[in-house]
Amino acid sequence: MRNMTANNYGFDTLAIHAGQEPDPRTGAVVPPIYQTSTYAQDAVGAPRLGYEYSRSGNPTRDSLQECLAAIEGGRRGLAFASGLAAEDTLLRTVCRPGDHVVIPNDAYGGTFRLFSKVAEKWGLDWTAAPLDDIDAVRAAFRPGHTRLIWSETPTNPLLNVNDIAQLAGLAHEYDALLAVDNTFASPYLQQPLTLGADVVIHSTTKYLGGHSDVVGGGLVTADEGLGDELAFHQNAMGAVNGPFDAWLTLRGIKTLGVRMDRHCDNAERIVGYLSEHPAVSSVLYPGLATHPGHEVAAKQMSRFGGMVSFRAVGGPEQAIAICNRAKLFVLAESLGGVESLIEHPGQMTHLSAAGSALEVPADLVRLSVGIETVDDLLADLEQALG
């Protein structure tokens, strides 16, 4: 086995080869799909290569997990049935009833629902704070009780940017952990573990899978001990992905780098267009020099990603009309696939936050910019904007 780490190979090489050695029996260059629930054992108490039951371990999932760790610069990667399954496993591994977590005041709607409707009933307390304001984060801390800072950067859907290194320093000052949802940036553009984060979270459904054909989640940690604890809970809680889902995600990761380059290219063209359009009151994109988090984003990201949000002149009715008029931009939830998507967060992905402090503006439109011919995307936006 090659020692596939970020120390001795480039990102695209890791994405294609880490955890993906040719099959030793046949020479197949693509890892097999081990579509099995159980494994013959050599003797009682002697499972072959450690495999006994596919909830506990599966070779295809192991290939994905090794690749996830390599591309994030971590020591241990774990794959799950969805991003929220990964989040739930992380929370119940590192927190106990009575603990406290600081979350973003513009968190993803599903994450907010997990905290407010599920974890809170389990006894976990939380406070929403603007994580781009380190003084506000410090004020939200409860020394001795705050176990975790939960960061998204860029955030979904407002595309705010948190300073990962600064948050890590604050968390560790209070003997807490920093978890970073890196779904929007992807490991190609940003690697939070190298900036001091303790755990990276992914909805692998999005850019890692990249083709809108598989649902999954991932956790990556740089600490072996924490990785072992997470692996124990992964098995004990059982929210793992199946071997075919793991294989599809692994296949998607191979082209992550080239896809992200095109996502970024197209997004930059679209941001330039939207910034000049009279039907748009403001554009939210970390690559804009006017974005309040631009300098931090430029420091910790190699480029600024394929997600773009904007606010519509004319308010909520016009925002909804733009979404409904789009043709090439598909009206759908999710993001990060090769096809471009458009949605109204207030009534779609972030409906669970309606009426709360995390409610998103009703005139907001979110774009997941795909890899189509950018002139076609611009023409579609032109007719959708009216």
Side-chain angles (χ1 to χ4, degrees):
M1 290 287 290
R2 292 182 291 258
N3 179 25
M4 301 294 289
T5 71
N7 294 328
N8 51 13
Y9 287 100
F11 182 91
D12 291 310
T13 303
L14 294 173
I16 293 168
H17 292 287
Q20 301 166 79
E21 290 280 341
D23 180 60
R25 187 171 68 86
T26 66
V29 298
V30 175
I33 302 169
Y34 286 89
Q35 195 69 44
T36 184
S37 61
T38 192
Y39 306 82
Q41 301 190 22
D42 294 328
V44 173
R48 191 174 306 170
L49 300 177
Y51 293 109
E52 54 188 11
Y53 186 61
S54 273
R55 170 175 42 78
S56 305
N58 177 280
T60 313
R61 189 166 74 241
D62 285 348
S63 292
L64 171 59
Q65 293 181 152
E66 185 176 338
C67 188
L68 287 174
I71 61 176
E72 275 289 5
R75 300 289 297 277
R76 189 71 177 270
L78 298 166
F80 296 84
S82 69
L84 281 168
E87 294 187 12
D88 183 43
T89 302
L90 171 60
L91 284 179
R92 289 199 273 169
T93 300
V94 303
C95 297
R96 300 291 180 270
D99 284 347
H100 173 255
V101 180
V102 180
I103 71 169
N105 66 347
D106 56 347
Y108 163 55
T111 298
F112 170 71
R113 182 177 57 230
L114 177 64
F115 276 95
S116 64
K117 304 296 185 184
V118 179
E120 189 172 298
K121 292 181 179 179
W122 180 61
L124 187 65
D125 201 3
W126 56 275
T127 301
L131 297 196
D132 55 354
D133 181 347
I134 197 68
D135 292 331
V137 180
R138 186 181 292 275
F141 246 77
R142 301 176 188 173
H145 294 281
T146 301
R147 178 61 178 151
L148 187 66
I149 297 176
W150 188 283
S151 169
E152 294 174 21
T153 184
T155 62
N156 179 8
L158 297 179
L159 294 161
N160 288 318
V161 174
N162 312 153
D163 189 319
I164 296 170
Q166 193 175 56
L167 289 174
L170 177 60
H172 299 158
E173 179 184 339
Y174 289 99
D175 198 28
L177 301 174
L178 173 64
V180 177
D181 186 334
N182 201 29
T183 298
F184 264 33
S186 87
Y188 183 67
L189 302 181
Q190 178 174 268
Q191 295 184 330
L193 296 178
T194 66
L195 299 169
D198 299 286
V199 186
V200 171
I201 307 153
H202 280 285
S203 170
T204 59
T205 309
K206 311 306 193 295
Y207 286 108
L208 293 174
H211 294 79
S212 301
D213 57 8
V214 62
V215 174
L219 297 174
V220 182
T221 178
D223 181 77
E224 289 278 12
L226 179 56
D228 289 343
E229 290 182 46
L230 291 168
F232 173 84
H233 283 78
Q234 178 197 42
N235 179 50
M237 295 166 67
V240 297
N241 57 356
F244 185 52
D245 289 347
W247 185 88
L248 283 171
T249 305
L250 201 55
R251 183 198 62 173
I253 289 173
K254 289 177 184 288
T255 60
L256 178 62
V258 292
R259 286 188 286 107
M260 291 308 300
D261 283 338
R262 175 64 71 86
H263 285 300
C264 293
D265 289 344
N266 284 358
E268 289 166 7
R269 286 281 304 278
I270 285 169
V271 165
Y273 167 79
L274 292 174
S275 296
E276 301 296 328
H277 201 287
V280 175
S281 62
S282 64
V283 179
L284 312 180
Y285 187 67
L288 288 170
T290 53
H291 187 287
H294 175 70
E295 290 186 9
V296 173
K299 177 179 67 175
Q300 64 191 23
M301 300 175 71
S302 58
R303 293 184 73 179
F304 303 104
M307 299 302 299
V308 179
S309 293
F310 66 90
R311 301 182 71 168
V313 172
E317 290 185 3
Q318 181 63 9
I320 292 170
I322 291 167
C323 292
N324 288 337
R325 285 195 295 260
K327 294 181 173 65
L328 191 56
F329 277 86
V330 179
L331 179 61
E333 298 188 3
S334 198
L335 58 102
V338 292
E339 63 286 301
S340 293
L341 305 179
I342 190 170
E343 66 126 357
H344 184 262
Q347 294 194 24
M348 295 174 69
T349 53
H350 289 68
L351 183 60
S352 61
S356 77
L358 280 74
E359 183 173 16
V360 299
D363 60 356
L364 189 73
V365 175
R366 192 191 75 180
L367 304 177
S368 174
V369 179
I371 66 171
E372 302 95 335
T373 302
V374 70
D375 289 339
D376 296 331
L377 296 176
L378 291 168
D380 188 42
L381 287 173
E382 178 68 23
Q383 66 83 25
L385 288 165

